[in-house]
Amino acid sequence: MSLSIVGAPFWRTPGLMAVLAALNADGEEARVVGGAVRNTLLGLPVSDVDIATTAVPEVVAERARKSGLKPVPTGVEHGTVTVVADHHAFEVTTLREDMETDGRRAVVRFGRSWLHDAERRDFTLNALYATADGAVVDLVGGLSDLTARRIRFIGDPQARISEDYLRILRLFRFHAAYGAGPVDREAFIASVRRRAGLLTLSRERVRAEMLKLLVAPGAAATLAVMSDAGLVQPLIAGIADVGAFTRLVALEQEWQAKPDAIRRLAALAVRVSDDAARLRERLRLSNAEARRLAALSASVPDLPDAKAVRAFLYRNGVDAALDLALLAAAHGRCGMEAVAAMAAAWTPPRLPFAAADLMALGLTPGRALGAALARAEARWIVADFPTDPDAVATLLAEAARTSSGA
């Protein structure tokens, strides 16, 4: 009895049947491939639906247009056409065969063999197909590996890694996301032997894989294995603190904080601001990611009471303060639970005055006015955010007097 995924939620994605119908005719065939099939069989959500086909890109585009669908040439040189149907985009890729590889990229040619297409993919559980009627097709033993939660290379692991060294990172990322038990022994040995190839990869590709790995369910145990094998340090150009990372993961669960790649990167590899600057270049982080990572290198001040915690939350923002508290706790600081508890329940108050209120006291626009406003806000924070009009008026009067030198 063949395995079918016809009842899977993604199978009802609007437009999917229209795309498959357009491509499955006149000697050509199209199948759903990869993550959609894998995740469905694992009972996990499906984000993207990719399609493999015997038709070459020009035929894919022509058939899409004739069927009233919109073809977009997003990667024709690699055999990929994005077909938009019913406001959903589907990547349609022609079957391929590797002709030449150098560890960073491959020269491919289009083919018509499903077996050859499967054999050029990285892991067995990524080479599962589903035909237009929902039947699952397994040509390389992916179903048994899926059942065992084993991430296994297709063919010889050393040869597959030598084709693209990023597969070392993908091995551990997929193991952290989908695997169970130890990393496949042959794959692990091949990764260690070929680890020097990681330094030949573009930093952008390494960044993408690392950020996905950091938030995978099994990231802590997987990074421990990688670190022991010397696979993490070259990527971050520093010492990996797997212990702090592991404690952070546990604290995120305890404090009900959503896993976050930049926060976890900070736990793994940031002690001082220089570490954040190094990682910005090493992983080609975006400007926003780099700024956030630098901010997470700050230390948490002493928070002796609830009043100090409220001031900390207000000055840093609830999300950033929670990040800093999580990191401090992961590195052994006590008392950070109070920040998490208050962050969950506290709504930061709005500043009850503005520059206009100081101008009404005689200050004129300029640097002095800005400085007076900052002093008034600082005093308001120290006073624990009073809202009583008389207390606010006193703070403003004091700030105005200081500004005028009275």
Side-chain angles (χ1 to χ4, degrees), residues 133-340:
D133 61 1
V136 175
V137 178
D138 176 16
L139 302 172
V140 292
L143 286 175
S144 60
D145 287 336
L146 196 73
T147 300
R149 293 289 188 118
R150 179 174 52 242
I151 313 303
R152 185 170 61 87
F153 280 111
I154 299 169
D156 176 59
Q158 293 197 60
R160 304 317 309 276
I161 290 172
S162 294
E163 293 167 358
D164 184 354
Y165 292 113
L166 191 70
R167 285 175 175 164
I168 295 175
L169 271 182
R170 285 177 61 81
L171 166 69
F172 290 98
R173 195 255 290 184
F174 273 81
H175 182 78
Y178 307 110
V183 178
D184 179 75
R185 179 173 173 77
E186 291 186 4
F188 178 77
I189 292 172
S191 297
V192 173
R193 287 177 175 171
R194 293 287 186 270
R195 62 188 173 189
L198 289 171
L199 299 179
T200 70
L201 295 170
S202 76
R203 297 177 185 183
E204 291 81 2
R205 296 182 77 201
V206 172
R207 168 198 170 277
E209 287 296 324
M210 278 293 292
L211 294 186
K212 291 176 183 177
L213 166 59
L214 290 172
V215 294
T222 300
L223 282 167
V225 173
M226 293 177 67
S227 181
D228 288 344
L231 294 169
V232 177
Q233 290 80 349
L235 299 173
I236 63 174
I239 302 300
D241 191 340
V242 177
F245 184 92
T246 301
R247 290 189 292 273
L248 174 66
V249 172
L251 286 165
E252 287 174 343
Q253 296 173 348
E254 182 182 336
W255 295 6
Q256 298 182 342
K258 184 178 179 181
D260 179 89
I262 298 302
R263 184 201 300 136
R264 289 189 173 189
L265 179 61
L268 182 71
V270 174
R271 299 297 169 274
V272 295
S273 58
D274 286 351
D275 294 331
R278 182 192 71 248
L279 287 165
R280 175 179 188 162
E281 293 304 314
R282 195 69 176 180
L283 297 177
R284 287 288 192 268
L285 299 176
S286 69
N287 289 336
E289 291 167 344
R291 284 194 297 269
R292 185 161 169 242
L293 193 63
L296 293 179
S297 67
S299 59
V300 178
D302 290 334
L303 303 172
D305 51 32
K307 178 180 175 181
V309 173
R310 284 191 290 271
F312 177 66
L313 289 168
Y314 180 83
R315 287 194 175 98
N316 293 278
V318 170
D319 291 340
L322 183 59
D323 284 344
L324 288 168
L326 277 163
L327 289 168
H331 287 292
R333 280 281 300 276
C334 297
M336 294 296 102
E337 297 86 350
V339 178

Side-chain angles (χ1 to χ4, degrees), residues 15-250:
L16 175 57
M17 292 299 107
V19 175
L20 292 176
L23 297 175
N24 278 290
D26 300 324
E28 304 294 357
E29 184 182 6
R31 300 174 181 176
V32 176
V33 64
V37 182
R38 177 198 67 226
N39 281 24
T40 294
L41 294 174
L42 289 172
L44 298 174
V46 171
S47 55
D48 300 304
V49 181
D50 296 328
I51 296 171
T53 180
T54 56
V56 296
E58 294 80 5
V59 172
V60 171
E62 179 184 4
R63 291 192 177 192
R65 281 191 292 266
K66 286 183 177 180
S67 299
L69 311 176
K70 180 182 179 181
V72 181
T74 48
V76 173
E77 67 276 14
H78 302 296
T80 300
V81 176
T82 297
V83 177
V84 181
D86 203 355
H87 307 291
H88 285 77
F90 303 89
E91 280 197 358
V92 180
T93 303
T94 304
L95 303 189
R96 295 173 292 177
E97 300 175 14
D98 287 335
M99 300 299 294
E100 182 180 338
T101 60
D102 64 3
R104 298 179 64 189
R105 62 185 67 84
V107 176
V108 302
R109 70 178 179 188
F110 300 144
R112 297 187 63 82
S113 167
W114 291 99
L115 177 59
H116 290 168
D117 184 74
E119 288 176 338
R120 73 171 298 276
R121 296 177 185 272
D122 49 12
F123 309 118
T124 59
L125 50 63
N126 288 340
L128 297 171
Y129 303 87
T131 63
D133 61 1
V136 175
V137 178
D138 176 16
L139 302 172
V140 292
L143 286 175
S144 60
D145 287 336
L146 196 73
T147 300
R149 293 289 188 118
R150 179 174 52 242
I151 313 303
R152 185 170 61 87
F153 280 111
I154 299 169
D156 176 59
Q158 293 197 60
R160 304 317 309 276
I161 290 172
S162 294
E163 293 167 358
D164 184 354
Y165 292 113
L166 191 70
R167 285 175 175 164
I168 295 175
L169 271 182
R170 285 177 61 81
L171 166 69
F172 290 98
R173 195 255 290 184
F174 273 81
H175 182 78
Y178 307 110
V183 178
D184 179 75
R185 179 173 173 77
E186 291 186 4
F188 178 77
I189 292 172
S191 297
V192 173
R193 287 177 175 171
R194 293 287 186 270
R195 62 188 173 189
L198 289 171
L199 299 179
T200 70
L201 295 170
S202 76
R203 297 177 185 183
E204 291 81 2
R205 296 182 77 201
V206 172
R207 168 198 170 277
E209 287 296 324
M210 278 293 292
L211 294 186
K212 291 176 183 177
L213 166 59
L214 290 172
V215 294
T222 300
L223 282 167
V225 173
M226 293 177 67
S227 181
D228 288 344
L231 294 169
V232 177
Q233 290 80 349
L235 299 173
I236 63 174
I239 302 300
D241 191 340
V242 177
F245 184 92
T246 301
R247 290 189 292 273
L248 174 66
V249 172

